[in-house]
């Protein structure tokens, strides 16, 4: 088995600038992590620690790993052996890659958007139309999950498709802040037939409620790794120009204390939950929200702390500044998290 550290050093770190410029997607690295058995079907803590290590080098690639793990969560809930066992094994071994496709539905369930995909039936066949504006970790031979709505009955169907399915059109999204290098495409549906064997459920709202805690939980180590990386950059430049950074008014020690406390809370929660996060969504939401704001603050401090060198397009501080803005917009976004938190406080949100 090749260690995580070796894979990061050899197959990720040399390409960080190319990833940021949208010239490279770390597919080989992602597959090798899975091929070498660094991820588990059931051990959330193991998976989180790997994502955190990768995010220390590259938030974008850690996000792609989250996409793969989120897709695995869909398969874990499926009842069909072809999905639950066969495709799941391909995903966890790196033979196949998967994407989430649920950004729009997750927002729609909280009345932030309307469903982008609609469906009707022709006989027994499910036919889907519409467009997903942004799906990451996707390519023509990758899989993704999606939810469509029947506008007459309000039925919500969750299904799995391969991106080369007839009727699908992919268009790459590039030069979008923080998204470069994540294999992000819009996906248009033109009378796409979804086989019955690929339908996970026709009660997609309940399905989304079931997976939501793990969906968000696995995003948190993305922020953990990125924050630690920026804190280390601040320390690296602390004595620049005869210690001039001592006059900056960023409270770095406070950042470090906040980070340590939030990280401890997160991994303590994983140990306590033992994979069952159904009763911990509020805590998960609060942790991601707190870390999302902390990431923005620490990245800004690191940028200013780095001086003129940080303003180069190839500088790690500049890259991480963009990464932090992307994490703030990762569904559920910071503002979406705030709404979910408020909903918990006023209703019995499930």
């Amino acid at each position: 088995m090749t260690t995580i550290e070796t894979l990061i050093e050899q197959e990720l770190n040399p390409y960080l600038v190319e990833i940021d410029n949208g010239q490279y997607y770390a597919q080989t690295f992602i597959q090798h992590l899975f091929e070498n058995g660094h991820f588990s079907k059931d051990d959330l803590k193991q998976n989180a620690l790997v994502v955190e290590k990768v995010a220390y080098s590259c938030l974008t690639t850690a996000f792609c790993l989250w996409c793969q793990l989120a897709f695995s969560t869909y398969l874990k809930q499926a009842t069909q052996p072809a999905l639950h066992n066969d495709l799941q094994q391909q995903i966890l071994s790196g033979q196949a890659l998967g994407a989430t496709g649920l950004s729009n539905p997750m927002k729609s369930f909280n009345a932030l958007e309307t469903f982008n995909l609609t469906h009707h039936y022709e006989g027994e066949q499910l036919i889907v139309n519409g467009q997903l504006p942004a799906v990451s970790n996707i390519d023509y031979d990758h899989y993704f999950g999606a939810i469509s709505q029947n506008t007459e009955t309000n039925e919500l169907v969750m299904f799995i498709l391969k991106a080369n399915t007839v009727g699908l059109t992919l268009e790459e999204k590039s030069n979008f802040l923080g998204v470069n290098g994540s294999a992000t495409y819009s996906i248009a549906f033109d009378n796409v037939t979804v086989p019955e064997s690929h339908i996970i459920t026709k009660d997609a709202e309940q399905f989304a409620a079931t997976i939501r805690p793990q969906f968000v939980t696995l995003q948190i180590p993305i922020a953990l790794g990125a924050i630690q990386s920026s804190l280390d950059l601040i320390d690296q430049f602390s004595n620049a120009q005869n210690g001039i950074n001592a006059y900056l008014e960023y409270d770095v020690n406070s950042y470090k204390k906040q980070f340590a406390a939030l990280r401890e809370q997160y991994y303590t929660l994983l140990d306590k939950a033992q994979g069952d996060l159904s009763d911990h969504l509020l805590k998960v939401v609060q942790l991601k929200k707190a870390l999302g704001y902390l990431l923005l603050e620490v990245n800004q401090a690191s940028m200013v702390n780095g001086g003129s060198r940080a303003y180069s397009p190839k500088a790690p501080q500049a890259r991480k500044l963009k990464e932090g803005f992307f994490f703030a917009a990762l569904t559920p976004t910071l503002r979406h998290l705030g709404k979910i938190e408020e909903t918990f406080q006023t209703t019995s949100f499930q």
Side-chain angles (χ1 to χ4, degrees), residues 20-320:
D20 187 43
N21 291 335
Q23 299 168 329
Y24 188 78
Y25 157 57
Q27 178 171 332
T28 300
F29 168 75
I30 292 168
Q31 289 181 298
H32 285 171
L33 276 178
F34 282 90
E35 287 174 6
N36 280 274
H38 292 300
F39 289 101
S40 166
K41 178 181 177 182
D42 299 308
D43 191 336
L44 277 177
K45 186 173 183 179
Q46 175 185 331
N47 294 346
L49 287 167
V50 176
V51 172
E52 182 180 359
K53 287 182 180 180
V54 173
Y56 184 91
S57 284
C58 181
L59 184 148
T60 299
T61 303
F63 162 62
C64 290
L65 290 175
W66 170 79
C67 294
Q68 180 90 344
L69 293 170
F71 183 78
S72 172
T73 301
Y74 308 162
L75 301 179
K76 188 176 180 179
Q77 299 295 326
T79 58
Q80 304 95 316
L83 299 179
H84 182 80
N85 296 324
D86 301 344
L87 183 54
Q88 178 74 287
Q89 181 55 39
Q90 293 177 49
I91 291 292
L92 293 175
S93 65
Q95 297 174 46
L97 293 173
T100 63
L102 294 196
S103 177
N104 165 249
M106 287 297 187
K107 293 174 183 175
S108 299
F109 289 131
N110 284 125
L112 302 181
E113 295 182 359
T114 57
F115 290 94
N116 286 341
L117 300 183
T118 61
H119 68 259
H120 64 277
Y121 291 92
E122 293 182 4
E124 297 296 319
Q125 290 287 336
L126 181 73
I127 309 296
V128 180
N129 285 281
Q131 179 166 320
L132 297 176
V135 179
S136 300
N137 201 49
I138 196 71
D139 206 341
Y140 291 96
D141 60 345
H142 299 187
Y143 294 87
F144 69 98
I147 292 175
S148 63
Q149 179 186 49
N150 184 299
T151 55
E152 295 181 0
T153 66
N154 287 324
E155 177 190 59
L156 294 165
V157 176
M158 170 78 189
F159 56 86
I160 300 295
L161 284 177
K162 202 169 187 178
N164 60 5
T165 299
V166 174
L168 293 178
T169 302
L170 275 64
E171 183 176 344
E172 187 174 10
K173 292 181 72 72
S174 58
N175 296 318
F176 194 77
L177 195 67
V179 171
N180 286 345
S182 62
T184 297
Y185 291 76
S186 65
I187 304 181
F189 289 65
D190 183 11
N191 288 322
V192 174
T193 299
V194 179
E196 180 69 26
S197 60
H198 288 200
I199 295 175
I200 290 183
T201 179
K202 293 186 178 181
D203 185 4
E205 185 167 12
Q206 180 56 51
F207 180 87
T210 300
I211 67 169
R212 187 184 286 113
Q214 188 164 325
F215 186 91
V216 181
T217 296
L218 284 169
Q219 294 177 345
I220 290 173
I222 300 175
L224 292 174
I227 291 170
Q228 184 64 70
S229 183
S230 285
L231 287 172
D232 287 350
L233 277 172
I234 291 174
D235 287 343
Q236 181 183 331
F237 284 83
S238 61
N239 294 318
Q241 295 179 298
N242 296 318
I244 191 66
N245 283 335
Y247 294 94
L248 289 174
E249 297 184 6
Y250 295 105
D251 192 343
V252 177
N253 286 330
S254 175
Y255 295 154
K256 290 179 179 179
K257 290 178 182 178
Q258 290 178 61
F259 172 72
L262 290 167
R263 187 177 187 275
E264 182 179 1
Q265 289 176 43
Y266 174 66
Y267 283 109
T268 298
L269 175 62
L270 293 189
D271 288 336
K272 176 182 178 182
Q274 291 294 305
D276 183 5
L277 293 156
S278 55
D279 293 328
H280 302 286
L281 179 57
L282 176 58
K283 182 61 176 177
V284 168
V285 164
Q286 291 172 332
L287 282 170
K288 186 193 171 185
K289 179 184 169 187
L291 285 162
Y293 281 111
L294 182 60
L295 177 59
L296 292 173
E297 291 187 38
V298 171
N299 283 352
Q300 177 177 294
S302 177
M303 187 77 182
V304 177
N305 187 84
S308 61
R309 286 171 289 186
Y311 287 74
S312 165
K314 295 183 179 180
Q317 293 94 332
R319 173 167 54 84
K320 292 179 183 299

